[in-house]
Structures are given as C-alpha cells and as structure tokens.
Amino acid sequence: MSIALYTSTLKKLNSKIIPFAIIGYFIANLDKTNISIAALQMNADLGLTASMYGLGVGMFYISYIIFEIPSNIIMTRVGARVWIARIMITWGLVSAGMSLVQTPTQLYVMRFLLGMAEAGFTPGIIYYISCWFPRSNRARAMSFFYMGSVLASIIGLPMSGSILNMHGIADIAGWRWMFAIEGLPAVILGIIILWRLPSSPEKATWLSEPEKKWLITQLEEDNKDVVVNKNHSWLSSLKNRVVLLLSLVWFLQAFGSIGITLFLPLILKSIVSEQSNFVISLLSAVPFVFACLFMYLNGRHSDMTKERSLHMGLPLILAGISLAIAIYSNNLLLSYILLVLTVGFNFALTPIFWAVTTEKLAGVAAAASIAFINTIANFVGLGLPPLLGKIKDLTDSYHYGLLIVAIALVLGGIVGIVVARPNKNTATEDPALTS
C-alpha cells in the first residue's frame, strides 16, 4: 500500500473521531470531578465532614461498578453511536440535577444515579477507538482521548471556580449554579453524536473505498496475535491471566488518578488556606497541563519506538516516588512541583496502558474485558475517598493517605513493566510503513 493512503486515512480518523472523543471525555470528567470544586462551598452548606464528602464521592463508583460491564456488552449489540449518545444525555441530566440537592442523603443518591448513567462511557470509547485506529497509531489516539480528561482539569477546574463566584445571584449558591451549567453540555453533545458519529469503519461515509479496505485489513492483521479474541466468550475472558494483570495495574494507578484528582483542591486549600477558591482552582489545574504534555510525548515516543513495557511502568514508578518525596518535604514550592510531576507521570502511562490492552484483546470479549478492567479500578473510587477523608479527620493531615497512594503507584509500575512485555509472536514491523 502507499504512504499516501495510510496518511489520508489516519488524517480523516484524527479529524472525524478524535474530536468527539476529546470533547466527550472532557465533559464526562468535568461532571464527575467538579464536585471537588463544589466542595469548597457545598460542604459547609450541606454540613459535610471530610468523611461524608468522601462517601458522597464514593457513591458514584458503586453504581458505576455495577453497570460498567453490562453497559459495554449492550453497546456491542446496539451500536456505539446510539449507546454513547444515551450515556451522555442521561448523565448530563443527572449532573444538572445535582444543583437541587438539599441534604447529604440526596447528594449520595444523585452521585449514585450519576455513576449509573455514566457507566460504560470510558471503556466504551476505548473499545470504539480500538475499532478504528491501527496498532501503529493507537497510543497516540489514546493520548488524545485522555487529553479530554486532562482538559477537564486544566480548563474545567478554573471554570468551575469562576462559576462559584456566581454565589448569591438569584439567591442561588455558586456550587448550585456550577452543577446546573456544567451538566447541559453533555446533553447537547449526546444529541450531536446520535446524529453524526458512525458506528464502524464500514459505515463511515467520509472514508473512500480504498481507505475503508486498507483500514479494515490492517485492523484484522493487528488482531491476529491477541491473547483474547472474538472467539472467546466475554465471561471466560475475565479469567484470563493477562486481563487480571492489566486490571491490577489499572487498579493501582487509580490510587493516583482518583485520589489526587478528587482531593487536590482540598489538599492545596489545607496547605495555603489564605488563598481564594479561584486561586486554588488555578493551582489545581496546573498539574494537568503537564499531564497533557506527558501523555502525548510518552504515547508518541512509544508508538515511534514500538516499545510499550517501560513506557507503561516507569511513569507510574516515578509518580509514586515524586509523591512520597512531596509528602515529607518542608518546602511548599518543592512539594507543589512534586505534586505537579506526580499528576503528570500518573497520566503519562494512560495511552500506553490502553494501547497495550487493545493490542492484546479483540472482539466482544475485549469490550467486556475493557469494562472489567475499568470496573476493578473504580473500586478505588469506592473505597479510597472515604478512607482519605477518614484519615484527614483523624490526623488533621492528608500525609498518611497520600503515602498509601505513593506505594500503590510504585507497585502498579512494577506490574505494568511485566504485563506490557510483547507476545513472542507479535510482529515488530509496521505494515503500514513497510509495504
């Protein structure tokens, strides 16, 4: 095949598929994590202790865990376009409804409903991307997708902090304005996806016939050496050793992505309590600028060198070491810089992780496996926030909780290096560039 055909196909995939993924994940993470900014006002209004706030955060993950795998299985049967649109519309409505809560119990219920509505979105998009992008470009595609998550912190945290300043308009609290305003974009994008997003390469009207033929052939070639393929049942795939090890890596990294992300504004507030909520939101956003950069560079370098193992494990180890040093540093600036690096390194493995996962799994079993892997990680969201909140209430410090996070990240990096080692029969050449 010609380089021109390869280039034109990938250019169209990047322009037609990636924007939906980035914007969708941006909105998903904004609506999931904006509670960390709302907490700066909401906790006092609802009378929430740190433990109660942690429980409220964790309620999201109970329903998310329950409905994650069924959601992805349904998606493979009804089509990505319809199911992803359904997910976005329902979670947008629930997120906006968070503005109406009056008691801690109502907060718990709404967070549970939000997890139920959003369940399946992240693994669904990951599976969807793997159905479009060949192995040679998958890590970069995954890095772009996860930039949506990072942008939710870079742009979303300061935006949420500024919306808090609407406090008192129409006698409505700022955090209520924030939930109401930030829930609506998900509904709008869900409707657009239902209208514009194709379910598979075969149905993409913007691909020429030669481009479709090359892409489908390349994807079939990439799936020849997977350890879990379309002939596996979704239930048997969940017992596979590779799936279990990948689940362990993603579980351990979630200590950083969930624990630090959802508590970073409160951690910074406890360190520099004299700063305004808007300044805290800006300080909370800076680490995710580096996360965005680290993800892209690590994903690009991994694709170019065709090396996955070290690109997946080392960033997590460095994240854990950075966090451990930050905990015991008495220099506020150094501690903040190390927190920035922790977040950056923690996210750097993400595109590599999902590239490795989708290179080893294929078919409907892959959809269930990806959902299973993501579900296992969400147990961290269920247990870690209440634990961090309880430790803070008991010790008046986040140090011991963050040390647990640091240890988990180092262990995750070690397991990641092992599981990402290539299959012996994996091709080392990029067919797109050698033919």
Side-chain angles (χ1 to χ4, degrees):
M1 65 150 281
S2 68
I3 295 297
L5 183 58
Y6 166 84
T7 302
S8 66
T9 304
L10 267 296
K11 184 177 179 180
K12 288 182 180 179
L13 294 183
N14 286 329
S15 63
K16 299 293 186 178
I17 301 297
I18 292 300
F20 281 114
I22 292 176
I23 298 171
Y25 207 30
F26 169 85
I27 297 172
N29 277 272
L30 179 65
D31 289 343
K32 181 170 62 178
T33 62
N34 59 7
I35 191 173
S36 66
I37 293 296
L40 298 173
Q41 290 181 353
M42 180 187 68
N43 286 8
D45 284 358
L46 300 182
L48 300 177
T49 64
S51 298
M52 294 169 71
Y53 168 74
L55 178 60
V57 170
M59 289 300 294
F60 171 92
Y61 296 95
I62 295 177
S63 54
Y64 201 99
I65 288 167
I66 294 172
F67 294 100
E68 182 93 313
I69 295 176
S71 179
N72 248 35
I73 294 174
I74 293 173
M75 184 196 68
T76 63
R77 295 177 180 176
V78 304
R81 178 178 60 87
V82 173
W83 197 244
I84 291 173
R86 192 285 303 164
I87 290 174
M88 297 202 69
I89 292 170
T90 53
W91 104 50
L93 294 173
V94 174
S95 183
M98 292 274 292
S99 62
L100 303 176
V101 301
Q102 301 293 332
T103 67
T105 300
Q106 292 176 3
L107 175 67
Y108 303 154
V109 171
M110 292 301 290
R111 287 286 294 180
F112 183 89
L113 292 176
L114 185 64
M116 181 190 299
E118 193 179 322
F121 177 76
T122 300
I125 292 289
I126 290 168
Y127 174 73
Y128 183 73
I129 288 176
S130 73
C131 293
W132 286 85
F133 283 85
R135 178 179 294 178
S136 60
N137 286 77
R138 199 166 294 169
R140 275 169 284 188
M142 294 296 180
S143 72
F144 284 125
F145 166 55
Y146 266 88
M147 282 181 189
S149 169
V150 175
L151 288 172
S153 297
I154 297 173
I155 301 173
L157 287 174
M159 182 174 69
S160 298
S162 63
I163 295 175
L164 289 186
N165 291 330
M166 295 176 65
H167 186 77
I169 296 178
D171 292 327
I172 297 174
W175 63 272
R176 296 185 187 278
W177 278 114
M178 187 199 71
F179 281 130
I181 292 172
E182 293 181 350
L184 295 179
V187 178
I188 296 170
L189 185 60
I191 295 171
I192 295 174
I193 284 176
L194 190 61
W195 175 41
R196 296 293 302 272
L197 192 68
S199 294
S200 64
E202 292 88 346
K203 297 181 180 179
T205 57
W206 35 264
L207 284 176
S208 67
E209 287 305 317
E211 289 169 340
K212 285 182 183 180
K213 183 178 179 180
W214 172 79
L215 181 58
I216 294 169
T217 301
Q218 185 61 56
L219 291 170
E220 290 175 349
E221 182 70 23
D222 287 345
N223 288 337
K224 282 185 177 179
D225 59 357
V226 297
V227 296
V228 173
N229 58 43
K230 62 184 180 180
N231 296 319
H232 287 77
S233 71
W234 69 267
L235 188 58
S236 66
S237 69
L238 305 187
K239 304 174 184 177
N240 183 274
R241 175 180 174 273
V242 171
V243 173
L244 294 176
L245 285 175
L246 287 168
S247 300
L248 179 59
V249 175
W250 201 237
F251 173 83
L252 292 170
Q253 74 78 33
F255 276 73
S257 61
I258 291 175
I260 296 177
T261 299
L262 291 176
F263 277 84
L264 187 57
L266 293 175
I267 292 170
L268 293 175
K269 188 70 173 180
S270 69
I271 297 173
V272 286
S273 57
E274 72 281 0
Q275 297 296 332
S276 69
N277 290 339
F278 181 68
V279 171
I280 293 296
S281 68
L282 287 176
L283 290 174
S284 300
V286 170
F288 296 96
V289 175
F290 286 85
C292 196
L293 179 63
F294 285 15
M295 278 197 302
Y296 175 74
L297 293 177
N298 197 39
R300 182 175 183 272
H301 193 262
S302 178
D303 276 346
M304 292 177 65
T305 60
K306 301 178 180 63
E307 199 285 325
R308 299 298 197 207
S309 182
L310 295 178
H311 283 82
M312 187 163 102
L314 283 182
L316 216 52
I317 294 173
L318 292 173
I321 293 173
S322 299
L323 181 58
I325 297 174
I327 294 170
Y328 294 104
S329 172
N330 294 321
N331 185 300
L332 291 181
L333 179 59
L334 177 60
S335 293
Y336 180 70
I337 292 173
L338 289 169
L339 280 175
V340 169
L341 291 175
T342 298
V343 174
F345 285 129
N346 189 76
F347 275 88
L349 97 152
T350 302
I352 317 303
F353 177 85
W354 289 116
V356 168
T357 299
T358 55
E359 286 166 7
K360 293 179 180 289
L361 314 174
V364 175
S369 298
I370 292 168
F372 175 76
I373 291 167
N374 208 51
T375 297
I376 294 300
N378 281 311
F379 276 102
V380 176
L382 179 62
L384 185 61
L387 176 63
L388 292 179
K390 180 63 70 175
I391 291 174
K392 173 63 167 61
D393 285 341
L394 292 174
T395 65
D396 199 33
S397 171
Y398 286 105
H399 285 186
Y400 293 108
L402 292 177
L403 184 59
I404 294 173
V405 172
I407 294 171
L409 294 177
V410 173
L411 291 175
I414 294 171
V415 178
I417 291 175
V418 174
V419 72
R421 289 179 299 186
N423 301 333
K424 291 182 180 180
N425 61 335
T426 299
T428 57
E429 291 188 79
D430 182 353
L433 300 178
T434 57
S435 53

